[in-house]
Amino acid sequence: MKSRIFPLIATIVVFILLYMIGWQRFPAFGTTRVVLNILTDKSFLGVAAVGMTFVILSGGIDLSVGSIIAFTSIFCALLIKDVGVHPLGAFAIALALGAAFGGAMGAIIHYLKIPPFIVTLAGMFLARGCAFLLSEASVPIEHPFYSDISGMYYVFEDKGRLTFVATLFVIVLLVGLIIAHFTRFGRNVYALGGDKNSALLLGVPIARTTIGVYMLSSVLATLAGIIYSLYTRSGYPLATVGLELDAITAVVIGGTLLTGGVGYMAGTLVGVLILGVIQTYINFDGGLNSWWTKIVIGALLFVFIALQKVLSSGRPVFKLPSLKR
Amino acid sequence: MTTSTQPILQTRDLSISFGSVDALVSVDFNLRAGEIHALLGENGAGKSTLIKLVTGVYAKDSGQILLDGKEINPRNPREAQLLGISPVYQEINLIPTLSVAENIYLGSQPMRFGLVNTAAMNKQAEALLNRYNIDIDVNRTLSSYSVAIQQLVAIARGVDMSAKVLILDEPTASLDRHEVETLFNVMRQLKADGVGIILITHFLDQVYEISDRITVLRNGFKVGEYNTDELPRVKLISEMLGHELTQTLGKQATSETAKPKNQEAYIRVDGLGRKGYLEPIDLTVNEGEIVGLAGLLGSGRTETALLIFGIEGHDQGTIYVDGQAVHLRSPSQAIQEGFALCPEDRKTEGIVGELTVRENVILALQAKRGWFDFIPIKRQQELADEMIEALHIATPDAEKPAGQLSGGNQQKLILARWLASEPKFLILDEPTRGIDVGAHAEIINIIKRLSNDGMSLLVISSELAEVVDYSDRVIVLRDHKKVAELKGDEVTENRIMQVIAEEPNV
Ligand SMILES: Nc1ncnc2c1ncn2[C@@H]1O[C@H](COP(=O)(O)OP(=O)(O)OP(=O)(O)O)[C@@H](O)[C@H]1O
Ligand SMILES: [Mg+2]
């Protein structure tokens, strides 16, 4: 078996196990409601996690996504409410802004050779600060377009609801999967994370790829911000504090190595679902304090990182090739 | 031979320096279309630097690079590749975490509907590697294969992409005769197609076998440009070294008799093996004896070394040191027993590029003494200077980061590290790979001197002339199994070749 795929399989097994445990206690796990609810509830986290997957695969990190979501939500709210821009126009402006922001971070990381941790940390404070500059309080959005969107969903027989935002998340994930695995850009991202120096010597366009990765992450964070605003129908400068850490957690639990170069986009979906299942279980239980979510996720993350360590420090198995002579 | 005289790649007055080191000074280099041009010189002469300038890894200080008569200024390897210059660098530069096929076609993947066509890519990769007689699962990660396979993959990639110029920086370092032959056939084919090929190597036999012309560099200067068939070997060597080669290969009978022979074996390996990795092997090394390990690539030589040194676990057999059974489960235990292993893959297993030469030299010794028994800086400096002197490591001083040394000098540095740890039993895996003629003789002398001083050595080498020269006994491996042990008069190149070539009698 290819050892690269092992973490992904481990993740899927853990997900199924957790789900079974949930199902055993709460029969509702047997309906589509639980999964669809998780998809809706985690839609903005999931979209941000797709971007984070690219960043981590490239060997980097992006701490700015939570702040970008908050900024986007308040930015759109104000454009729609105070300036009177149509929501679609507001979204377009926000996405362009997000692309520029991410591109700038990527350029600083590449050309000034400053570690991504520092650059995106600065980006995090900057975006959060700007969000507060726009408004210190939550801004509700009342626009017919928003009501239309929340009215768009498909109901399954057992009352599970496939909402617009959940669908959007799934589409983003699929597109992310195709980009990661089947485009030259995606393969360059893997190469960059695998060995940056060799990638350069092999002719991988390092500048373009690095800038592209952070641009993609910020654009997806902005999209996550738009989803957040559609989902909560408001903009809030204090929204999604620390969401980047949840996104990183989902990516790592999904089997992507923090050191870069190894991982699967599909794993990120499973990672997000696992976070959702744990939360749902603890919500259903009622008796358990919601902080248990954090504790379980912490333990799980620890187990997965330990697993990765074992796998990556394991010496390459010298499978001896047969030389035809 | 109908080599055209039309230059395809030229440099004019090309210069670059790194700090105080002038790596290249005003070098004029001329590569013609359809020729194989050997670029030769000692370790640190500037060969790899010239390649890196031409392919845009480094930016030149002054001078010109011309392709087809037009000046080019590639800013990175990618731009050079787009111009038709395809390099295979000295250290294997591939992505360990990607599959073999992806490494070959990174940046030029076959596409369908705008997406990478993985199935077609794997098929192409298989077909391509078949030309080199390699039959492997191209879908597995590169890191799961041996250094030799990785090197062949790098070469296959470089050859596949070469449009006008192919550059091979020590491509044959970890290849055996068969693979070298296959590579040469591919090179001849490319040459017939009009590709200009630059070959950097320290194997002079190969230079005379395949090259049309030779350019020699010394200390960053171009010494001359010659037709291969007009330059006798002795002349070539003196051009490279700047003086005659004093110590040549050859039996140094002087000390042979001084060795204490026929006594209880110092190291005795009894049926050591692991299922699916290495068949149980027996071998002994006496005090002050040199035992050679010969065999084709993939015959289990490196595996034997790794098992003995405890890097790989064994599931049967015992190792005796001085008659005492020892249980080695890790390299650190082996080091405590006085073992040392100088590995073949210096990039991943050897040099710590960020540390200085001095720090690299004392690494093994410090590890052996434990990190609390700190070696005084003054002693460290002495040791480092001693080693730089003894092995002629080309570096301005011991405080230079090891990553900035030339490839061959890094190889010497690894040897220095293990010598500094004062082992009783030293295992050397391809100690002369990538080392220039002068230093080559030097290292062989050192090996002999060490054994005279009472050290036991197990030496793996693909260069039979060298194995025959210093070995007291030679163990031949084939298909992960010991097939013969030659001693005394049997230790000749012919005999070893015979044993290696014999069909396994099943
Ligand atoms: N990046 C660097 N920084 C500092 N010095 C360097 C760097 N690269 C090369 N040098 C120095 O330039 C000189 C030439 O090195 P180069 O690698 O070109 O030698 P080489 O001819 O390829 O030798 P070898 O046969 O050992 O591979 C050496 O003295 C080396 O230390
Ligand atoms: Mg070199």
Side-chain angles (χ1 to χ4, degrees), chain B residues 24-204:
Chain B
L24 284 182
V25 185
S26 245
V27 170
D28 289 346
F29 176 75
N30 302 294
L31 175 72
R32 297 173 185 162
E35 77 165 346
I36 298 176
H37 195 128
L39 181 58
L40 306 179
E42 281 185 285
N43 294 135
K47 304 178 297 289
S48 299
T49 303
L50 178 62
I51 298 319
K52 288 185 177 162
L53 281 173
V54 169
T55 55
V57 180
Y58 299 149
K60 63 184 188 235
D61 289 347
S62 60
Q64 284 185 309
I65 303 166
L66 307 159
L67 184 70
D68 284 329
K70 281 193 284 293
E71 178 162 11
I72 57 167
N73 280 302
R75 282 169 302 168
N76 52 47
R78 182 182 163 71
E79 291 187 5
Q81 269 172 33
L82 294 176
L83 290 168
I85 305 175
S86 169
V88 179
Y89 296 103
Q90 185 169 11
E91 313 294 345
I92 298 166
N93 281 294
L94 296 173
I95 313 290
T97 49
L98 289 185
S99 77
V100 170
E102 285 192 296
N103 268 291
I104 296 177
Y105 293 112
L106 189 63
S108 60
Q109 295 97 335
M111 307 295 271
R112 194 177 49 182
F113 313 127
L115 298 177
V116 173
N117 186 348
T118 312
M121 181 174 76
N122 286 346
K123 247 211 195 97
Q124 278 183 31
E126 261 164 35
L128 181 69
L129 290 176
N130 258 320
R131 284 177 66 189
Y132 299 85
N133 296 324
I134 313 173
D135 181 19
I136 57 175
D137 181 357
V138 295
N139 203 19
R140 286 176 58 122
T141 46
L142 182 84
S143 62
S144 60
Y145 291 106
S146 67
V147 182
I149 295 292
Q150 294 186 22
Q151 182 152 36
L152 282 167
V153 170
I155 293 172
R157 175 189 160 93
V159 170
D160 191 55
M161 293 198 320
S162 61
K164 292 181 177 165
V165 176
L166 172 65
I167 301 173
L168 299 166
D169 195 348
E170 294 193 36
T172 58
S174 49
L175 304 187
D176 68 22
R177 279 157 201 257
H178 289 82
E179 277 137 352
V180 171
E181 222 16 78
T182 323
L183 172 63
F184 282 1
N185 286 335
V186 174
M187 283 166 67
R188 289 189 189 103
Q189 183 61 47
L190 285 177
K191 176 179 148 171
D193 295 344
V195 175
I197 303 175
I198 302 175
L199 173 69
I200 298 178
T201 181
H202 292 294
F203 297 105
L204 299 188

Side-chain angles (χ1 to χ4, degrees), chain A residues 1-4 178 181-184 187-188 190-205 208 260-262 315-325, chain B residues 57 77-78 81 89 93-99 102 106-109 111 115-116 118 130 133 135-136 139-141 143-144 146 149 157 176 178-179 296 303 311-312 347 480:
Chain A
M1 190 177 68
K2 285 188 290 182
S3 62
R4 276 179 297 175
I178 291 171
H181 296 291
F182 299 106
T183 64
R184 287 208 177 138
R187 300 326 290 165
N188 287 344
Y190 277 84
L192 188 59
D195 185 338
K196 185 173 172 190
N197 197 30
S198 293
L200 173 77
L201 295 178
L202 287 173
V204 170
R208 209 199 298 160
V262 180
R315 290 176 303 272
V317 196
F318 267 72
K319 187 69 190 304
L320 289 139
S322 55
L323 288 173
K324 282 189 296 192
R325 301 232 131 83
Chain B
V57 180
R78 182 182 163 71
Q81 269 172 33
Y89 296 103
N93 281 294
L94 296 173
I95 313 290
T97 49
L98 289 185
S99 77
E102 285 192 296
L106 189 63
S108 60
Q109 295 97 335
M111 307 295 271
L115 298 177
V116 173
T118 312
N130 258 320
N133 296 324
D135 181 19
I136 57 175
N139 203 19
R140 286 176 58 122
T141 46
S143 62
S144 60
S146 67
I149 295 292
R157 175 189 160 93
D176 68 22
H178 289 82
E179 277 137 352
L296 292 178
E303 287 78 0
I311 290 178
E312 289 289 338
K347 188 184 173 196
H480 290 205

Side-chain angles (χ1 to χ4, degrees), chain A residues 119-280:
Chain A
V119 175
T120 59
L121 188 67
M124 171 178 115
F125 285 121
L126 198 68
R128 184 71 66 183
C130 289
F132 275 105
L133 214 58
L134 290 180
S135 160
E136 285 181 19
S138 168
V139 179
I141 305 171
E142 276 143 37
H143 193 282
F145 181 78
Y146 271 62
S147 335
D148 291 350
I149 291 284
S150 45
M152 282 168 66
Y153 51 77
Y154 177 82
V155 186
F156 285 84
E157 275 172 14
D158 54 6
K159 299 216 185 71
R161 262 190 204 190
L162 180 62
T163 56
F164 177 78
V165 291
T167 317
L168 202 56
F169 166 36
V170 174
I171 292 173
V172 166
L173 193 112
L174 287 177
V175 173
L177 193 139
I178 291 171
I179 294 178
H181 296 291
F182 299 106
T183 64
R184 287 208 177 138
F185 169 76
R187 300 326 290 165
N188 287 344
V189 170
Y190 277 84
L192 188 59
D195 185 338
K196 185 173 172 190
N197 197 30
S198 293
L200 173 77
L201 295 178
L202 287 173
V204 170
I206 305 286
R208 209 199 298 160
T209 309
T210 308
I211 294 171
V213 159
Y214 288 93
M215 198 185 266
L216 186 60
S217 177
S218 290
V219 164
L220 287 177
T222 309
L223 185 60
I226 292 170
I227 291 176
Y228 176 88
S229 96
L230 286 170
Y231 184 51
T232 62
R233 295 209 203 178
S234 67
Y236 184 39
L238 255 181
T240 60
V241 171
L243 177 129
E244 52 278 349
L245 301 181
D246 290 336
I248 294 169
T249 306
V251 173
V252 171
I253 290 182
T256 299
L257 291 193
L258 262 177
T259 45
V262 180
Y264 291 86
M265 189 57 76
T268 299
L269 172 64
V270 186
V272 170
L273 288 177
I274 286 181
L275 296 188
V277 166
I278 295 172
Q279 199 175 24
T280 308

